[in-house]
Amino acid sequence: MRKLAALSALILFGLTNLAAAEEVTLRAVSSFAEKTTYSRGFERFIDRVNDAGKGVIHINYIGGPKAMPPFEVGNALKNGVIDVANATGAFYTNLMPEADAWKLRQVPMAELRRNGGLDAFASLYGQKLNAIYLANFVGENPFHLYLNKKIASPDLTGLKLRITPVYRDFFQALGGTVVQTAPGEVYTALERGVVDGYGWPITGIFDLGWQEKTKYRVDPGFYTAEVSVLINKSTWDKLTAEQKAVLQKAGAEGEAEAIPEFNKLNAEDTERQAKAGIEPITFDAAGTKRYLDQAYEAGWAGVIRQSPEQGVKLRGFLSKPQ
Ligand code: 173
């Protein structure tokens, strides 16, 4: 009897140890501040993985820009300093200029997964970032130009604007002077009058208090935001099929729920901006058309200048069917 107990204890110990040895822990960083608009989808993803993956896979969330500057996240992922990143293409164009093309997406993510567009991106992620593209946690979510000086037409001459690569070619094409900063520096830049405005999506300006320093928003919005989960490829290749499945399922769920989520957030934040006294600036019909045409023309020209062959290919996948 005692022998049997000892034996079963041994077996139990062995099994527990085996399970513990099999659980893999991945290190994750977000390029956006913790618990803000563009980190929330990622944080839900981590919770899902940690719930469904008990004993199999665990994500250790190191944090946001306090843990790592957003423009360094791409490098850290590529080099395996981190295993999982929540990042937007604009933050790692130094490694993969084509990632800037995400902003020009006019077809649903589901369509890109069908039409070969995602395969084209995936191959670039593998080559340039040593990464696997998992999922986009932003639905339709336009960018806007926010200003503290009024304009009457789409002419940004004399204005100094905070940008990332998302807005650079467009704002410059309209005559603006641009200065790149991480989101964490926008408030101070506005407060000190270093910039007259900034580019940002329709949602999220309340996260870091920018409504206090913002007078106008130019309508309509342009492009659509993208913030995606990426996994280091060397890490990915070492995972079991079961571990990969946990990540893929949580990724697919997040990508699907981002569509209704952002439709709702877009409407809520538009209303909240009005209540905060942010006044919309609109142009006449010809001005509006010029503004939007210029956005796409300058945007694609920029991508194609950086990567002629891949840029043209991506334009085919990402553009609205004619
Ligand atoms: O403005 C930015 O920092 C930027 O490029 C971005 C991209 C996606 C979501 C939010 C901001």
Side-chain angles (χ1 to χ4, degrees):
M1 198 60 204
R2 209 183 296 152
K3 254 193 198 156
L4 195 66
L7 191 68
S8 43
L10 204 69
I11 290 169
L12 204 66
F13 178 78
L15 286 178
T16 321
N17 246 4
L18 200 67
E22 275 182 0
E23 187 183 83
V24 66
T25 298
L26 308 183
R27 292 160 55 87
V29 161
S30 177
S31 312
F32 294 91
E34 285 169 54
K35 298 192 167 66
T36 62
T37 305
Y38 296 98
S39 283
R40 258 177 232 129
F42 185 58
E43 289 160 357
R44 263 193 325 259
F45 165 81
I46 294 174
D47 289 344
R48 272 189 178 130
V49 169
N50 290 349
D51 259 7
K54 278 206 177 73
V56 175
I57 184 164
H58 182 85
I59 296 180
N60 176 15
Y61 185 27
I62 297 163
K66 286 198 185 107
M68 184 178 289
F71 289 98
E72 286 172 27
V73 169
N75 243 322
L77 182 74
K78 181 179 180 182
N79 299 332
V81 171
I82 57 173
D83 304 298
V84 185
N86 181 53
T88 186
F91 292 168
Y92 51 86
T93 51
N94 56 325
L95 299 171
M96 179 179 162
E98 298 86 352
D100 194 29
W102 274 120
K103 70 189 181 194
L104 299 156
R105 179 175 69 84
Q106 293 177 311
V107 299
M109 285 303 293
E111 173 61 19
L112 270 192
R113 289 184 183 275
R114 280 193 295 268
N115 74 6
L118 206 72
D119 296 333
F121 265 120
S123 135
L124 293 165
Y125 275 95
Q127 284 167 43
K128 306 205 165 178
L129 220 61
N130 185 35
I132 295 288
Y133 181 89
L134 199 69
N136 179 1
F137 289 164
V138 182
E140 300 317 306
N141 183 230
F143 292 96
H144 285 262
L145 169 60
Y146 296 87
L147 288 175
N148 283 325
K149 290 182 181 160
K150 213 163 186 167
I151 54 171
S153 68
D155 179 0
L156 306 179
T157 308
L159 296 177
K160 195 161 175 194
L161 306 165
R162 174 272 172 187
I163 57 140
T164 66
V166 167
Y167 326 92
R168 177 180 284 121
D169 296 299
F170 177 34
F171 291 175
Q172 281 181 333
L174 296 179
T177 301
V178 299
V179 47
Q180 174 159 306
T181 84
E185 290 154 31
V186 172
Y187 188 94
T188 313
L190 289 167
E191 189 173 42
R192 295 189 184 156
V194 172
V195 296
D196 303 305
Y198 57 95
W200 192 261
I202 188 65
T203 53
I205 72 156
F206 295 90
D207 288 335
L208 301 175
W210 302 345
Q211 79 282 1
E212 293 168 8
K213 306 285 169 199
T214 305
K215 291 200 183 116
Y216 308 105
R217 181 192 68 241
V218 176
D219 283 350
F222 50 91
Y223 307 156
T224 193
E226 162 273 333
V227 180
S228 303
V229 185
L230 310 173
I231 318 256
N232 173 277
K233 194 172 178 313
S234 316
T235 300
W236 177 264
D237 289 342
K238 283 185 223 128
L239 297 178
T240 63
E242 188 187 12
Q243 291 164 337
K244 287 178 185 170
V246 171
L247 293 172
Q248 275 163 334
K249 181 162 185 281
E253 285 170 0
E255 191 169 285
E257 77 192 5
I259 297 165
E261 181 191 13
F262 272 87
N263 288 340
K264 185 161 166 272
L265 287 176
N266 293 346
E268 283 171 4
D269 265 37
T270 306
E271 199 182 317
R272 205 172 157 198
Q273 286 185 21
K275 286 203 177 113
I278 297 175
E279 236 182 274
I281 292 177
T282 55
F283 309 124
D284 58 20
T288 300
K289 183 175 184 316
R290 207 159 67 237
Y291 187 71
L292 288 179
D293 286 351
Q294 189 71 265
Y296 281 89
E297 209 178 293
W300 276 119
V303 171
I304 291 167
R305 185 179 64 241
Q306 302 261 344
S307 182
E309 202 177 313
Q310 299 299 328
V312 168
K313 203 168 134 190
L314 291 174
R315 185 172 58 184
F317 289 124
L318 293 165
S319 302
K320 243 191 323 247
Q322 297 299 319

